[in-house]
Amino acid sequence: MTRNIQILWGVLIVVVALLNIVDVLPDWATFAAVLSLPLMTAIGCLTRRADVARVRS
């Protein structure tokens, strides 16, 4: 992920947590937001690895 996306993702996680605190969102929403960050990072790493392999061949 680019740096801008990382910052945006962090801000969105904080917003989800704040909405959860004021009982706008269900409790599972915060857990889903936090756990999605490693998933998005892994997807970004896999696509970057595929791009590097394509350039080297």
Side-chain angles (χ1 to χ4, degrees):
M1 288 196 288
T2 64
R3 181 157 173 77
N4 293 336
I5 293 174
Q6 291 172 346
I7 292 171
L8 178 63
W9 204 265
V11 168
L12 289 175
I13 288 175
V14 170
V15 168
V16 168
L18 291 175
L19 288 174
N20 189 9
I21 289 171
V22 294
D23 284 334
V24 174
L25 294 175
D27 291 337
W28 61 264
T30 302
F31 295 113
V34 171
L35 293 177
S36 66
L37 186 58
L39 176 66
M40 294 300 291
T41 303
I43 291 171
C45 289
L46 291 175
T47 57
R48 194 172 312 123
R49 181 183 291 171
D51 290 341
V52 169
R54 195 175 315 129
V55 169
R56 288 185 181 174
S57 61

